[in-house]
Amino acid sequence: MKIISSPRLLQKEIIRLKKKGKVIGFVPTMGYFHEGHLSLIRRAREDCDIVVVSIFVNPLQFGPKEDLKGYPRNIKKDISLCRNYADILFCPNVKAMYPDDFLTEVKVGRLGDILCGVSRPGHFKGVSTVVNKLFNIVLPDKAYFGQKDAQQAAIIKKMACDLNMPVEIQVLPIVREYDGLAMSSRNVYLSYTERKEAVVLYKSLILAKDLIKDGVVDCAKVIARMRSYILKTKSAKIDYIRIIEPKTLVAIKKIKREALVLLAVFIGKTRLIDNILIKR
Ligand code: PAF
């Protein structure tokens, strides 16, 4: 596995590989790998000739009071976890990605201002800007994202479509811990008790799924039941619970066909997200 930190050198290397007809698979990450990341990297390995993984904790997607400084990092461990699957690990520094005179940003319109965008203003502008840059450097044929960040995945798909990007966006299922908690690098922030309580997100989604299966189609009723279930947990503070149409992210009132139930909940000081796709 080659480790490259210069965007220009990586782009040159990719152009050389593409001239040889290689299919490039790309997994953008912020590092601190868990099974969720590894499932994306393994899938890219199955699908593509060349697998590029990036590790870049993107300052543009963190708000001023968020955890940019403390975001978990362990580059040595990440290298050992991905070296058997990736051909190239791209680890640029902040100056290389955002030189002092950097100006251009990618705005995602209404999709970025709802759901997580309400409590994290500017977050999705930061995500789409960096993903756009990374796509221009890596020139991937396929790029892999996790369903846990459902809003991010929808925004990136829309950006790729709207801006005619020649890349296929693959969204892979959520990988869960033994008790159902969605894997996330931020789970490391949880105390022992909070970790046990954090499973409430998953359990509330299963409650929603069961209610819908039993014929409750009124979204307000489903959300109310989830809300009262979650609030029994001491450390939980709900940011939002929504039921939406999966592609457009528009809230729905009655569940007819496919619906995405998603939520963001603070467990202590840690904000966690999760979701479940319901098919009727
Ligand atoms: O999902 C993430 O880890 C990040 O948002 C991404 C896509 C790597 C952009 O920084």
Side-chain angles (χ1 to χ4, degrees), residues 26-31 37 40 54-59 61-62 71 98 120 123-124 126-131 134 144-146 148-149 152-153 156 185-186:
F26 178 42
V27 185
T29 82
M30 300 209 297
H37 298 110
L40 306 181
S54 67
I55 297 180
F56 179 62
V57 182
N58 172 35
Q61 68 189 74
F62 288 79
Y71 193 83
Y98 303 119
R120 304 191 70 190
H123 169 67
F124 290 109
V127 171
S128 14
T129 301
V130 79
V131 171
L134 289 165
Y144 297 81
F145 295 86
K148 185 178 78 74
D149 298 297
Q152 169 174 283
I156 287 164
S185 303
R186 287 189 169 101

Side-chain angles (χ1 to χ4, degrees), residues 95-109:
K95 269 268 145 72
M97 291 295 277
Y98 303 119
D100 290 339
D101 58 351
F102 184 83
L103 275 179
T104 309
E105 288 174 333
V106 180
K107 249 183 91 182
V108 286

Side-chain angles (χ1 to χ4, degrees), residues 2 16 19 45 67 86 95 99 103 142 147 149 154 204 223-224 228 247 251 255 260-261 265 276-277 279:
K2 277 190 191 167
R16 188 183 70 79
K19 276 189 185 148
R45 177 77 285 157
D67 56 342
K95 269 268 145 72
L103 275 179
K142 293 175 187 229
Q147 171 63 20
D149 298 297
S204 72
I223 291 172
S228 54
K247 274 200 195 109
I255 298 156
L260 188 68
V261 184
V265 175
I276 198 166
L277 188 65
K279 289 186 181 152

